[in-house]
Amino acid sequence: MFGLTFLYPGVHEFLKVLQKSRIKSGICSNKPVSLTRSLADHLKISEFFDVILGPEDCGKPKPAPDMIVKGMEMLQVSADQIVYLGDMDIDIKASKSAGVKPWIVRHDQELPFDLSEPIEKDDIFVSFEDILAKKQKMILPD
């Protein structure tokens, strides 16, 4: 069922760093939450997430901010304590609507990527390794 589903390079290592740094994390996906949980289990990454949400958990899919807001409530964090990591324009819209700083990972530099929402250049990354290299002071413990 998940034969064509894979993790992007560096994801597992990135999640390990977050976990080691005791950084809370969650998934907010427009896929049905049961499918998202099954995918996370299949990819062996469920253990890294404190919360996994889908649109049925809060009534509205992204770009509505509802999932992100519910995730913040469940994690007991405020908007200024998190970033929202996504890979699509809809993720920028959802995070900004929730008052959260967006980070975007561009997995494929060959594909066109039109942003209808402005985002700081320093918050666009080419890989998960790129995030760790550029934001290590923010992520890694002293």
Side-chain angles (χ1 to χ4, degrees):
M1 177 177 184
F2 303 123
L4 299 177
T5 304
F6 62 92
L7 287 178
Y8 285 106
V11 170
H12 199 263
E13 294 78 12
F14 178 78
L15 293 172
K16 281 183 177 178
V17 169
L18 294 183
Q19 187 179 56
K20 183 178 179 182
S21 300
R22 297 179 186 232
I23 295 174
K24 296 177 183 179
S25 61
I27 297 175
C28 294
S29 174
N30 277 349
K31 294 177 183 67
V33 72
S34 60
L35 175 60
T36 302
R37 287 187 177 125
S38 294
L39 283 167
D41 288 343
H42 170 75
L43 297 169
K44 299 180 178 14
I45 58 171
S46 293
E47 69 179 284
F48 296 109
F49 297 101
D50 301 289
V51 64
I52 297 176
L53 297 170
E56 64 271 36
D57 293 315
C58 49
K60 294 181 184 175
K62 296 178 288 184
D66 302 43
M67 268 188 277
I68 298 172
V69 171
K70 181 163 179 115
M72 288 189 296
E73 290 169 1
M74 294 175 73
L75 295 171
Q76 300 179 334
V77 296
S78 61
D80 63 334
Q81 294 176 299
I82 70 166
V83 296
Y84 185 82
L85 178 59
D87 62 357
M88 298 171 52
D89 194 51
I90 197 171
D91 297 313
I92 299 170
K93 290 176 186 174
S95 63
K96 286 187 170 190
S97 293
V100 172
K101 183 173 188 59
W103 286 357
I104 295 295
V105 178
R106 292 280 327 274
H107 301 292
D108 190 341
Q109 299 301 305
E110 303 293 317
L111 293 176
F113 190 71
D114 296 322
L115 295 175
S116 63
E117 292 289 321
I119 183 173
E120 294 179 29
K121 185 178 177 183
D122 289 345
D123 295 332
I124 301 173
F125 306 91
V126 296
S127 66
F128 287 88
E129 294 91 344
D130 188 31
I131 297 171
L132 291 175
K134 291 179 179 174
K135 301 292 186 176
Q136 66 181 343
K137 289 181 183 174
M138 178 184 270
I139 296 171
L140 298 173
D142 294 328

